[in-house]
Amino acid sequence: MRVVCQATVPGEPTPKKRPRCGRGRAHSAEGQKAAEDAFAWQVRAQNVGIEPATGPVQVSLIFYSRYSAGVRPDRQADWDNLGKLVSDSLNLIAWDDDRQVIDVTLRVIRGAAEPRTVIVVYALD
């Protein structure tokens, strides 16, 4: 395995919002594209010159959230929605398409003093 991309993105981890339906079709929730672009920009800035992996990849994600378990349940994001935002944000940066992700290790640490997201992407050559 070789590291393709790694980054620490500061700030409270952002979940992917559910698409909204209207006029017979689904569309992204308001602000979703901006959240994905901001996340991608942070990762790209820490990995200047990387080439997206073309084969299968393994991803390690650790989300550090300031919201403790049970304290603000309305502020606690589901682990799968946190991962989905990262997955979609890293298309054409860490990999060509998120279908290449075949193995994920994901942790959510609540009550963190310094909210952030830590990502490491490994190519499975």
Side-chain angles (χ1 to χ4, degrees), residues 2-76:
R2 68 179 168 81
V3 174
V4 173
C5 166
Q6 62 186 43
T8 299
V9 178
E12 186 64 30
T14 305
K16 176 111 181 182
K17 296 177 183 175
R18 292 186 176 164
R20 303 292 176 223
C21 295
R23 297 186 181 185
R25 57 179 231 207
H27 55 88
S28 294
E30 185 175 331
Q32 190 61 58
K33 180 73 170 124
E36 290 175 10
D37 289 347
F39 191 90
W41 181 86
Q42 291 274 346
V43 173
R44 195 177 287 123
Q46 294 177 46
N47 291 275
V48 175
I50 66 165
E51 292 292 323
T54 57
V57 297
Q58 175 184 9
V59 181
S60 172
L61 298 170
I62 306 175
F63 298 99
Y64 294 86
S65 175
R66 73 173 45 106
Y67 301 108
S68 297
V71 175
R72 291 285 312 265
D74 59 317
R75 297 285 184 183
Q76 293 175 8

Side-chain angles (χ1 to χ4, degrees), residues 58-111:
Q58 175 184 9
V59 181
S60 172
L61 298 170
I62 306 175
F63 298 99
Y64 294 86
S65 175
R66 73 173 45 106
Y67 301 108
S68 297
V71 175
R72 291 285 312 265
D74 59 317
R75 297 285 184 183
Q76 293 175 8
D78 294 343
W79 65 269
D80 56 336
N81 292 331
L82 291 168
K84 184 65 177 155
L85 182 121
V86 171
S87 181
D88 289 344
S89 296
L90 296 184
N91 283 333
L92 301 177
I93 296 173
W95 46 71
D96 290 328
D97 189 272
D98 55 0
R99 287 178 290 190
Q100 293 168 245
V101 178
I102 62 167
D103 187 20
V104 176
T105 302
L106 189 148
R107 286 186 75 191
V108 179
I109 298 173
R110 304 209 187 270

